[in-house]
Amino acid sequence: ASAPSADPSNFVFVVQWVSETNRTYAVECATNLMTGFDLPLATNLAATPPVNEYTHTNSVPAGFYRVGIQGGN
């Protein structure tokens, strides 16, 4: 979900996902799926069950987000 911030040149995106105890997550972003997820936003995010949340402020009004489990745990 997204909502414009007070600054019209920035947009706020909130990514939420179901999390599990003893997991560590990473969030990545892409503005074009043809070029892949080339913008790592956060790593080593500890689980906060039942739901994790990451807020990203961006200067573009759209993007694609991917959440992954880190370290194979």
Side-chain angles (χ1 to χ4, degrees):
S2 68
S5 65
D7 180 350
S9 65
N10 287 315
F11 298 87
V12 176
F13 297 87
V14 178
V15 180
Q16 294 182 326
W17 64 95
V18 175
S19 64
E20 296 182 19
T21 304
N22 299 322
R23 300 272 187 186
T24 305
Y25 298 94
V27 179
E28 300 171 305
C29 181
T31 55
N32 179 343
L33 288 179
M34 297 300 288
T35 60
F37 288 88
D38 55 353
L39 181 60
L41 299 177
T43 58
N44 299 313
L45 297 171
T48 58
V51 176
N52 270 49
E53 180 175 289
Y54 178 80
T55 302
H56 179 224
T57 302
N58 198 347
S59 61
V60 296
F64 302 92
Y65 292 86
R66 175 169 69 181
V67 176
I69 298 170
Q70 284 189 263
N73 56 357

